[in-house]
Every structure is written in C-alpha cells, then in structure tokens.
Amino acid sequence: MKLTSLRAYERTSSRNIKSYARALVSSCARKMKALILSAGLGTRLAPITNTLPKALAPVNGVPIIFYVLALLKKHGIREFVLNLHHHAEKIPELLGDGKKLGISIEYSREPMILGTGGGIKKMLRMTNDDDVLIANGDVIADF
C-alpha cells in the first residue's frame, strides 16, 4: 500500500468505511450467494447452546441468524447456503426453504463437523461457481 493511500485510509471515518462496504456488497449482491457458517458447537454460549445451535441464540428475543439474513437481504442477496451440525434440525425447522422470508435457503449438513475451511469447501460445491460472500451465522453487524 502506498503511503498516500495509507494516510487517506487513516483519515477515513468509520461512516465512510460503512458506506464503502454497503456499496460494495450492494453492487455485487445480485450475482452472488451467501455461505453462512452455522455448524459450530457454541460451547462458550452454554447453557443456551445446550438445546439450540448458536445461530438461533436470541438477541432481544430474535435469533441471531435473522439479523444476518436480513442484513444481507437488505443488500440484495437472495440465495443462501447454511452449513449445519450442532442441533442441525433446528435451523431448517425455523427457516425452511426461506420462501416465507423472500429468500432461497439450501443446507449443507455435516454429520461430522468439518471446521471452517471444510464447511466452506463443502458449501462451495452447491454454488455452481457463483461468486460468494461468506458470513458467520452468529455475528450481528450493520453496514
């Protein structure tokens, strides 16, 4: 990175960074699928995750996964692949195929947890070489 670019970056406010991220996601969204990592065990959130996958842990009474899907849908992404392992049946029971949310959801089941890289590699097989955005199913963000 050039020094002038670094200085310009340092002067950039967080608002400008959010605007840039928003524009980038929105401009690419119509051509891509989102791969949502949601297979993890969620051990640090026990006892909540003793009966739920981490992506369904409630924040203000709403499962985290709804925040993730809503943000990406707001930016034009309509096709999703979610990987599943821990309490794997619970997410499809809640979200189904996504039609009620105005999106399309496919699931990649992992009988044995594959880890981040293995989960992504398996989900990529479901994308037909589309561009993808990878997001965590347990992180709330706003951009």
Side-chain angles (χ1 to χ4, degrees):
M1 179 181 283
K2 293 181 183 177
L3 185 58
T4 55
S5 298
L6 181 59
R7 285 188 183 135
Y9 175 78
E10 289 171 344
R11 288 192 306 266
T12 303
S13 71
S14 63
R15 173 178 276 172
N16 289 339
I17 293 170
K18 276 185 161 182
S19 296
Y20 176 75
R22 222 179 277 126
L24 182 63
V25 171
S26 293
S27 68
C28 299
R30 303 211 188 294
K31 304 174 234 168
M32 70 172 55
K33 283 187 178 181
L35 309 181
I36 309 296
L37 299 166
S38 51
L41 301 175
T43 54
R44 290 178 298 224
L45 286 180
I48 295 167
T49 53
N50 290 344
T51 57
L52 291 173
K54 190 165 45 167
L56 295 186
V59 174
N60 288 332
V62 177
I64 295 171
I65 193 71
F66 280 108
Y67 293 98
V68 176
L69 296 172
L71 174 66
L72 296 175
K73 181 182 175 187
K74 176 176 102 173
H75 291 291
I77 296 177
R78 298 289 187 271
E79 295 182 47
F80 298 85
V81 180
L82 281 69
N83 67 335
L84 306 172
H85 174 74
H86 182 64
H87 296 295
E89 73 288 349
K90 304 255 180 162
I91 293 175
E93 283 174 5
L94 180 66
L95 301 176
D97 61 8
K99 286 183 183 169
K100 290 181 182 177
L101 301 171
I103 59 177
S104 171
I105 301 174
E106 296 178 83
Y107 298 99
S108 174
R109 288 173 170 75
E110 299 178 15
M112 291 182 61
I113 197 157
L114 300 175
T116 303
I120 291 169
K121 186 174 181 179
K122 186 174 180 192
M123 287 190 289
L124 281 171
R125 294 184 201 136
M126 302 171 74
T127 65
N128 301 320
D129 292 326
D130 296 327
D131 290 333
V132 298
L133 180 142
I134 300 170
N136 289 310
D138 59 356
V139 175
I140 297 173
D142 181 25
F143 57 86

